[in-house]
Amino acid sequence: NQMKHLIILVCCFFIKAAWAQPPVTQPSPDTEQQIENITENNTDEETDDDTYLQSLSEFSRNPINLNLADAATLEELRLLTPIQIDNFITYRTLLGKFLTIYEIQAIPGWDLATIQKIRPYIMVSQAVNLFNAIGSRLKNGDNILFVRSTQVLEKSRGYKLDSSQATNFYYGSPQRLFIRYKYSFKNLLQYGVVAEKDPGEELFKGSQKYGFDYYSVHFFMRNAGIVKALALGDFTVNLGQGLTQWMSQAYRKGPDITTIKRQAAVLRPYNSAGEINFHRGIGITVGKNNWEATLFGSYKKIDANFVAADTSLLEVEDIVTSLQTSGYHRTKSEVEDKGMQRQVAFGGNFKYRLYGLQIGVNAVQYQFKLPLQKSQYPYNQFALTGKTFGNYSIDYGYTYRNMHFFGEAASTNKRKLAFIQGMLMSVANNVDVSLLYRNISSAYQSLYTSAFTENTFPTNEKGLYTGISIKPAMGWRVDAYADVYKFPWLRYRVDAPTTGKEYMFQLTYQPNKIFSIYSRLRSESKPINYNPTGLTLNPVIPQPRQNWRTQLSVKLNSIFTFRSRVEMVWFDKRGSAAENGFTIFTDLLYNPMMKPLSGNIRLQYFETDGYNSRVYSYENDVLYGYSIPVFYDKGYRYYINVNYDINKRISLWAKWAQTIYSDKTLIGSGLDEIEGNHKTEVKLQLRYKF
């Protein structure tokens, strides 16, 4: 006890002045880069899943009590490595409950940078939780209503066509409407409903006579005795390392080399606008002491390209050729595809923890009403087919001193195999190393998965990733990784087995909370079909892409923050398809303490030779929202965000964003084509707490 009190006094003396915490308003620079990487890897499709941002906000309002927290709760933050979590559990087991928050400085591996990231979401209290009763949880929580409207002011071609003559046009209005009601009590119970209409979809008429195109309802409870989680309605399932199932947002390659491991609760509530990555049914997790078991079942209608049987060709069964994932129901064909497939999914997980070891067994099984039969292209030879299929796996995690090992071995019902094996190691107090090997069969197929792979989905890939993070001096950080991979079979727009590689080096300097700067060089080479002369066979050639980025952030005073980025892109630099890209932007953020008004503005210039040299930029947005537009060609973009808290219950957000092209008279293509050289988006949001 004397030693523990001495540790506390020393920690308080050295770090108390560094722990004054501003309000949590924006993700960290590392998180922004990770979200940019997700959008780029998903072919410019932004995710509508804001569950993680909601979770951080909930933890900010109701911090985790470190004297009661288990490993699974700390994993939910996604801010700590498995080694740091294991060190925390070991420290608390050996020395007892924390007496003050400053004591966490003594936990091995918890440096000041880690503490500053996690500090807004944790607390130390000796009080016992008095609100475990269901009745108390249902009465003492927060009710929050969100209403959001978004619209591009310029009308695109899909809204201008004459519906009496055109066969392909947008049925509905150009507004996107989003309504969410949620009741939540700390992190223990929540329920709510979501209604959403995409631009071009009808509302209370035509194909949407019952109002909105998409509805979502959920009820979720945690830690009620032996029941660790209970999900009714919409929920997500996360198993292993993403080979079998992973529905929550998952990071890919980025500056934080310790995020290679997938960490999340098996069951999580879902109340976002995305219409694909969730289950609809019931799920339950029960556990006691060192074991935990989860079972779930789901039934929902999903969008699919339907092809009726043609008896003249001896086709006796209706089929679907693909599962639609856009969530759009704006045109006749999109409306016809809505809910054409029926999907039943069920499965479970058994998990056992003992000291630093965790072992899990996972299974998920699918049944469809109509058989899935992909188009007869060579790259589809191993694609999912039929009415039933399943995925099964064993995963583990083991911490030994300064090393953490993890992995998953998975199989389909056709015995096609996939493996992931990774390691995180703290070589020294200022050096971390990560390593991940994956070997995934070309015939391994899965649904709703997101493993740490180069491909969007885990299939047809072998690769080795290595990363290192060094903190050579106070305020300095060096991050680097190398990833080499191979695709043994053909892929979309790649008509041969290929190999690829990617490297990144980033230098960050952040001596204090006022000033930070990072500079990043990233290089990748990925083969693709290149056939400008129309040869009979498509030549497959590597097309290297490099980009260099530098971003600066300076807190000018307690009110204003200045931020700027410069980025350059070189695509196929010495090849026949060479392109260059460039962008620069400047932000000014206004965020006074204890004032009702805040906001930020950006001015950006971009110039690229084409789409291959495109650039991405994370944008500030309304609460729980973010934008990551893709920029190519030449032009300017600016936006203005404003947040005003009318009182403690009502808050308003507004965003005006416009992109102006210097050499265009048409923007976009198809039904999204806009006449002119500018595109303007307006977003309004209201939050009412009661």
Side-chain angles (χ1 to χ4, degrees):
N1 288 335
Q2 291 180 345
M3 176 62 69
K4 182 170 184 177
H5 282 84
L6 179 61
I7 291 173
I8 295 171
L9 289 174
V10 172
C11 293
C12 291
F13 179 79
F14 281 107
I15 67 175
K16 184 174 182 179
W19 279 23
Q21 291 298 321
V24 181
T25 56
Q26 294 298 330
S28 68
D30 283 355
T31 301
E32 291 182 2
Q33 290 189 69
Q34 292 281 14
I35 295 174
E36 287 174 342
N37 293 341
I38 292 171
T39 302
E40 183 174 356
N41 193 74
N42 290 343
T43 319
D44 306 337
E45 290 186 9
E46 294 185 28
T47 176
D48 287 318
D49 186 356
D50 61 357
T51 304
Y52 177 59
L53 297 180
Q54 291 185 65
S55 177
L56 284 184
S57 179
E58 183 66 38
F59 284 129
S60 179
R61 294 194 306 270
N62 299 287
I64 297 170
N65 185 354
L66 294 182
N67 284 328
L68 301 176
D70 56 9
T73 302
L74 294 176
E75 287 175 355
E76 283 287 295
L77 287 173
R78 296 167 64 176
L79 298 173
L80 297 171
T81 69
I83 296 175
Q84 290 172 328
I85 293 174
D86 189 70
N87 288 344
F88 163 82
I89 299 296
T90 302
Y91 179 92
R92 190 178 64 183
T93 301
L94 293 176
L95 297 179
K97 291 185 176 182
F98 294 86
L99 302 178
T100 171
I101 191 67
Y102 302 112
E103 192 180 344
I104 64 175
Q105 175 71 7
I107 301 174
W110 285 42
D111 57 12
L112 189 57
T114 298
I115 292 172
Q116 287 176 344
K117 285 193 301 183
I118 198 176
R119 179 63 186 91
Y121 313 110
I122 59 173
M123 61 175 287
V124 166
S125 174
Q126 305 302 321
V128 179
N129 187 1
L130 300 178
F131 296 99
N132 280 328
I134 301 301
S136 297
R137 297 185 186 188
L138 292 171
K139 295 178 182 178
N140 298 290
D142 298 322
N143 294 276
I144 301 178
L145 176 67
F146 270 95
V147 180
R148 182 188 302 161
S149 177
T150 307
Q151 181 176 346
V152 174
L153 297 185
E154 297 82 4
K155 278 194 173 183
S156 66
R157 181 170 173 267
Y159 301 104
K160 294 181 177 181
L161 294 174
D162 186 350
S163 59
S164 64
Q165 299 180 6
T167 58
N168 192 27
F169 59 92
Y170 292 153
Y171 287 160
S173 63
Q175 297 84 24
R176 180 182 185 185
L177 301 177
F178 175 79
I179 299 175
R180 174 165 59 205
Y181 162 75
K182 184 173 78 170
Y183 171 89
S184 62
F185 176 79
K186 297 186 176 180
N187 197 40
L188 298 175
L189 183 143
Q190 71 175 66
Y191 60 82
V193 59
V194 169
E196 192 247 10
K197 164 200 171 306
D198 287 313
E201 294 176 344
E202 294 179 289
L203 183 67
F204 288 104
K205 64 177 183 178
S207 62
Q208 306 299 337
K209 295 179 181 179
Y210 299 102
F212 289 82
D213 170 73
Y214 166 75
Y215 289 100
S216 174
V217 179
H218 80 285
F219 175 92
F220 197 88
M221 182 175 62
R222 290 185 177 92
N223 298 335
I226 195 174
V227 178
K228 300 302 180 183
L230 173 65
L232 301 174
D234 294 348
F235 59 93
T236 59
V237 173
N238 306 297
L239 302 173
Q241 289 302 303
L243 291 176
T244 305
Q245 185 114 122
W246 198 275
M247 291 177 149
S248 297
Q249 191 180 80
Y251 292 155
R252 296 186 179 271
K253 288 174 282 190
D256 188 349
I257 58 101
T258 63
T259 59
I260 62 173
K261 184 183 179 184
R262 299 286 184 256
Q263 296 187 114
V266 176
L267 296 180
R268 299 184 72 183
Y270 187 79
N271 64 332
S272 298
E275 302 180 26
I276 307 301
N277 287 322
F278 64 90
H279 286 308
R280 178 163 290 173
I282 182 171
I284 186 170
T285 299
V286 296
K288 190 175 182 180
N289 298 330
N290 296 330
W291 64 269
E292 186 177 282
T294 299
L295 292 174
F296 66 91
S298 166
Y299 169 81
K300 68 175 183 176
K301 299 177 182 180
I302 57 177
D303 298 351
N305 287 326
F306 173 77
V307 178
D310 188 343
T311 56
S312 65
L313 298 177
L314 301 181
E315 295 175 353
V316 296
E317 189 174 23
D318 298 335
I319 64 169
V320 296
T321 57
S322 65
L323 304 178
Q324 296 284 40
T325 59
S326 69
Y328 288 134
H329 308 110
R330 306 161 298 179
T331 64
K332 180 180 178 181
S333 60
E334 290 175 348
V335 170
E336 290 174 347
D337 288 341
K338 182 179 181 180
M340 288 303 301
Q341 182 68 286
R342 307 293 194 271
Q343 174 189 284
V344 174
F346 55 92
N349 159 269
F350 181 84
K351 187 182 300 182
Y352 183 78
R353 295 176 185 262
L354 182 63
Y355 302 109
L357 175 67
Q358 173 186 302
I359 297 177
V361 179
N362 313 289
V364 59
Q365 187 77 23
Y366 299 95
Q367 293 183 355
F368 288 129
K369 177 183 178 181
L370 300 173
L372 180 62
Q373 184 175 314
K374 295 273 188 167
S375 302
Q376 297 298 314
Y377 294 111
Y379 62 83
N380 277 336
Q381 179 175 337
F382 302 110
L384 285 174
T385 58
K387 289 185 177 182
T388 63
F389 60 91
N391 298 92
Y392 322 100
S393 73
I394 298 175
D395 73 278
Y396 84 98
Y398 177 62
T399 301
Y400 177 73
R401 295 184 179 178
N402 63 331
M403 295 180 291
H404 180 78
F405 303 91
F406 62 93
E408 182 178 16
S411 173
T412 67
N413 59 318
K414 297 180 180 179
R415 299 183 182 179
K416 306 303 180 182
L417 305 179
F419 300 93
I420 281 183
Q421 171 62 53
M423 181 190 72
L424 298 168
M425 181 168 60
S426 292
V427 179
N429 290 334
N430 61 340
V431 181
D432 294 318
V433 173
S434 62
L435 181 72
L436 187 139
Y437 171 75
R438 66 265 191 197
N439 188 338
I440 306 171
S441 167
S442 303
Y444 183 85
Q445 299 293 337
S446 56
L447 276 178
Y448 311 117
T449 49
S450 180
F452 192 89
T453 56
E454 176 65 22
N455 279 320
T456 303
F457 302 106
T459 183
N460 184 33
E461 182 172 332
K462 297 180 180 180
L464 179 64
Y465 168 96
T466 57
I468 186 169
S469 180
I470 306 172
K471 300 171 184 175
M474 181 66 70
W476 290 92
R477 195 178 94 188
V478 178
D479 299 289
Y481 68 73
D483 188 32
V484 292
Y485 46 85
K486 177 182 180 181
F487 305 123
W489 185 245
L490 284 58
R491 302 164 64 235
Y492 176 65
R493 296 182 62 200
V494 185
D495 293 346
T498 54
T499 60
K501 54 189 177 183
E502 181 177 337
Y503 309 100
M504 189 218 70
F505 176 88
Q506 179 168 304
L507 178 64
T508 304
Y509 178 58
Q510 186 176 0
N512 48 51
K513 294 183 180 180
I514 297 175
F515 177 87
S516 68
I517 184 173
Y518 74 82
S519 189
R520 183 190 81 181
L521 180 63
R522 179 183 171 196
S523 176
E524 63 176 332
S525 178
K526 191 185 301 184
I528 194 170
N529 293 347
Y530 183 69
N531 192 5
T533 58
L535 298 175
T536 303
L537 298 177
N538 286 319
V540 178
I541 64 171
Q543 292 189 321
R545 189 176 192 269
Q546 297 89 30
N547 77 302
W548 169 76
R549 172 192 296 178
T550 297
Q551 180 165 313
L552 167 72
S553 179
V554 181
K555 192 171 180 60
L556 303 177
N557 51 41
S558 61
I559 298 176
F560 290 101
T561 299
F562 171 84
R563 186 168 58 191
S564 185
R565 175 190 292 183
V566 177
E567 184 164 2
M568 301 178 68
V569 177
W570 300 273
F571 177 82
D572 199 19
K573 193 172 183 179
R574 295 180 178 84
S576 55
E579 291 184 12
N580 296 326
F582 171 80
T583 189
I584 181 172
F585 69 70
T586 298
D587 293 342
L588 185 64
L589 290 76
Y590 172 74
N591 190 21
M593 298 285 289
M594 308 303 292
K595 298 292 183 180
L597 181 67
S598 61
N600 53 80
I601 60 174
R602 170 176 292 182
L603 178 62
Q604 180 174 3
Y605 172 77
F606 59 92
E607 181 175 350
T608 80
D609 294 330
Y611 181 76
N612 287 328
S613 53
R614 62 195 180 277
V615 291
Y616 298 83
S617 298
Y618 181 98
E619 292 188 354
N620 298 104
D621 212 306
V622 300
L623 182 65
Y624 301 145
Y626 54 84
S627 302
I628 309 174
V630 54
F631 298 103
Y632 54 94
D633 296 332
K634 182 178 180 181
Y636 300 86
R637 181 171 174 85
Y638 70 91
Y639 67 77
I640 303 172
N641 277 313
V642 178
N643 168 222
Y644 184 73
D645 299 325
I646 297 176
N647 51 45
K648 291 183 178 180
R649 293 190 172 190
I650 303 176
S651 298
L652 298 174
W653 286 263
K655 179 178 181 179
W656 172 284
Q658 187 175 65
T659 305
I660 305 171
Y661 295 89
S662 59
D663 54 357
K664 281 189 174 184
T665 57
L666 293 174
I667 302 172
S669 60
L671 296 183
D672 292 324
E673 184 181 83
I674 294 173
E675 294 182 359
N677 69 334
H678 56 83
K679 182 178 180 180
T680 310
E681 183 183 67
V682 177
K683 185 176 294 187
L684 301 173
Q685 177 170 287
L686 177 145
R687 181 185 66 182
Y688 177 51
K689 300 172 65 176
F690 59 99

